Amino acid sequence: MAGDLLMELVGVAKSFRAADGTVRGVLEGVEAALHENEIVALLGRSGSGKSTLLRIMAGLVRADRGSVTYRRRPVEGPVPDVAMVFQSFALFPWLTVQQNVELGLEARGVPRAERGRRANAVLQLMGLSGFGGALPRELSGGMKQRVGIARALVVEPVILLMDEAFSALDVLTGETLRNDILALWETGRLPIKSILVVSHNIEEAVIMADRLVILGGEPGRLRSEIAVTPPRPRTVDDPEVRALIDEVYGLMTMRHPAEGAGARPPARLGYRLPKADIFHLEGVLHRLSESPFNGHADLPHLTEELALPGDDLYPAYEALALLGLALMEKGDITLTPLGHRYVRAEQSQRQEIFGQQLLTHVPLAAHIRRTLEQEPTGAVPARDVTELLEKFLEAPEARQVFGVAVEWGRYGEVYEYDYHTGRLALPEEDEDAETGEKRGE
């Protein structure tokens, strides 16, 4: 059961200035809290600001607005009671395992004998006894990450922040390390009061956490919180755990209306198109149509079968729903009749269906096509569209949406784009209905 409040975030916002001078919002109005005796998993798509939020909580980055408090005191710099574990291991290759683990203690002025005692204790805790004299290059990826965790634990933090700590490992190694951490937590052998785990792996988050915090949008906002009540140890085969996983997949693969896109896109042009690669879309459709799915699948199962990162697949699932080729509900995905017809069609027919659905369901694509048809030359400068998008979106997001619209429009043969001239144009084969001449000639 969660205990006393440790850390609280109220109205936290953060932006960064890009190299071209434009400002990109990363977080906006985030409200969150950490309590004693709980593991919290932070989920969100790529770009939702998860890693930035962790660095703000650790005091490594300052929020632009809002407040961050630790034990009800403002966080104004690095918090000694907070330690981080990174995806990249971040070990110094010229130092031994023992020296890497002792580094934080040395920086705090802990005497050598005490450093050695505490380092030996956490190395034993992490199953690394006997490896103190090894260099990082002698270790496997799983062992390197154990060293990274030991280095965080040796300073005896109150809060442990884990930023994708298992994602650089193979599945078996990551699962073993995760289970070891959970076993140490359950038996009270970890010298910490709370763990916050950033993960892109929904199953991992549900297996580990007492509470899930889901960020959405760009900039990232708190979308929802879910309590995870099944007792540990948990397995993905447990019906209650599976239902939670499905619920989270449903939240992760559909955008909240406030983010500007969903199953029914708004009439305005500047909503954020899912950044979905055409070939990922077709790969999902084809695999979904095959046995054992035959047009209907549990999203976690399909994601596992496709063997692609969730950050690549969530936009693909959303795009298929947006274009009317699939339906998504409660963590399941189902091909629509049009989706089935798309899969069976020849390549030219698939592109024709894609173009029709694009014009029907994506107002930006319909606006571009209509504008081109009204131009005598059948062409317009791309800046006319990007400037329009910037009335709704920040410049980096406008460029991303434009890039997606270009890729989809070209595939659906709705319009063309010349990167050299920066002009959008009707496809060459489109002829003027009145003159019979090809547009652009």
Side-chain angles (χ1 to χ4, degrees):
M1 182 178 294
D4 293 342
L5 178 68
L6 291 174
M7 183 168 283
E8 186 175 27
L9 290 78
V10 179
V12 168
K14 183 66 182 177
S15 298
F16 291 104
R17 188 173 297 277
D20 62 2
T22 59
V23 176
R24 175 176 174 262
V26 179
L27 296 167
E28 185 63 45
V30 175
E31 312 271 337
L34 281 180
H35 297 82
E36 289 187 356
N37 307 320
E38 70 171 351
I39 300 175
V40 177
L42 180 62
L43 294 165
R45 297 186 187 197
S46 178
S48 61
K50 303 185 298 298
S51 294
T52 299
L53 188 62
L54 253 66
R55 283 155 177 77
I56 289 173
M57 295 173 72
L60 303 177
V61 173
R62 297 199 69 164
D64 296 335
R65 297 189 304 280
S67 66
V68 183
T69 57
Y70 171 67
R71 295 193 186 275
R72 305 191 186 280
R73 295 181 179 179
V75 172
E76 297 176 341
V79 182
D81 286 346
V82 176
M84 285 191 69
V85 179
F86 303 93
Q87 175 184 355
S88 61
F89 313 141
L91 303 180
F92 291 98
W94 59 88
L95 298 180
T96 66
V97 166
Q98 181 91 14
Q99 291 167 334
N100 267 287
V101 172
E102 290 185 15
L103 203 57
L105 296 175
E106 185 177 356
R108 297 184 183 198
V110 176
R112 177 177 295 180
E114 176 67 6
R115 294 202 307 263
R117 184 191 66 77
R118 288 168 62 174
N120 287 332
V122 295
L123 287 174
Q124 182 176 8
L125 189 69
M126 295 307 302
L128 291 169
S129 295
F131 288 90
L135 290 170
R137 66 171 179 266
E138 302 173 51
L139 306 179
S140 66
M143 294 177 74
K144 288 177 184 176
Q145 191 59 293
R146 287 175 183 270
V147 176
I149 295 171
R151 184 176 56 189
L153 295 178
V154 78
V155 298
E156 299 178 351
V158 174
I159 298 173
L160 181 65
L161 306 178
M162 306 184 78
D163 191 3
E164 300 278 11
F166 309 112
S167 63
L169 308 175
D170 64 79
V171 174
L172 182 59
T173 302
E175 184 176 340
T176 300
L177 181 53
R178 181 191 73 205
N179 290 339
D180 287 350
I181 293 294
L182 284 175
L184 293 170
W185 171 264
E186 292 289 335
T187 56
R189 296 169 63 196
L190 290 178
I192 51 180
K193 298 291 187 182
S194 181
I195 302 176
L196 177 61
V197 180
V198 165
S199 179
H200 69 272
N201 186 319
I202 293 172
E203 288 87 345
E204 175 181 276
V206 173
I207 291 295
M208 289 192 73
D210 300 296
R211 182 161 53 95
L212 306 175
V213 176
I214 301 175
L215 292 181
E218 296 179 29
R221 298 175 175 85
L222 180 64
R223 173 182 286 180
S224 58
E225 290 192 30
I226 301 174
V228 185
T229 56
R232 286 187 289 259
R234 304 173 187 140
T235 68
V236 294
D237 297 324
D238 180 274
E240 194 174 356
V241 172
R242 175 53 58 187
L244 270 172
I245 292 171
D246 286 347
E247 180 182 354
V248 177
Y249 263 92
L251 289 168
M252 292 286 287
T253 52
M254 291 299 290
R255 297 195 181 198
H256 189 278
E259 293 167 35
R264 294 176 61 83
R268 65 184 176 88
L269 304 179
Y271 71 95
R272 299 175 180 88
L273 294 173
K275 193 177 180 181
D277 181 273
I278 292 293
F279 297 105
H280 284 164
L281 298 184
E282 297 215 326
V284 171
L285 286 173
H286 281 282
R287 187 67 190 95
L288 182 56
S289 70
E290 297 170 344
S291 178
F293 303 117
N294 300 316
H296 178 84
D298 173 66
L299 279 172
H301 187 188
L302 180 61
T303 301
E304 183 179 350
E305 283 283 319
L306 291 165
L308 285 171
D311 280 347
D312 289 334
L313 290 175
Y314 302 149
Y317 297 149
E318 181 187 345
L320 293 175
L322 174 67
L323 294 168
L325 300 174
L327 295 173
M328 286 195 301
E329 186 177 11
K330 295 181 179 179
D332 289 350
I333 184 168
T334 304
L335 280 182
T336 63
L338 183 62
H340 280 287
R341 183 154 66 88
Y342 184 97
V343 172
R344 294 193 299 266
E346 299 292 333
Q347 179 63 39
S348 60
Q349 294 173 310
R350 288 203 299 269
Q351 290 181 248
E352 182 180 352
I353 293 170
F354 192 95
Q356 291 170 348
Q357 295 303 102
L358 186 62
L359 291 173
T360 301
H361 295 287
V362 179
L364 175 59
H367 169 80
I368 293 172
R369 176 72 186 208
R370 186 166 55 250
T371 300
L372 293 172
E373 289 175 339
Q374 292 170 353
E375 283 292 319
T377 61
V380 295
R383 66 174 177 272
D384 290 357
V385 176
T386 56
E387 287 174 358
L388 177 63
L389 287 174
E390 287 175 14
K391 293 179 180 179
F392 303 99
L393 304 171
E394 294 179 359
E397 294 168 324
R399 289 195 294 270
Q400 177 177 309
V401 168
F402 179 75
V404 173
V406 165
E407 180 182 343
W408 290 9
R410 295 179 78 172
Y411 183 75
E413 298 185 322
V414 173
Y415 42 77
E416 292 289 347
Y417 177 60
D418 189 322
Y419 283 90
H420 297 292
T421 63
R423 293 177 70 81
L424 290 154
L426 289 170
E428 289 186 3
E429 63 271 18
D430 281 7
E431 295 183 348
D432 188 288
E434 295 183 4
T435 66
E437 295 178 354
K438 288 185 179 180
R439 293 278 193 173
E441 287 190 346

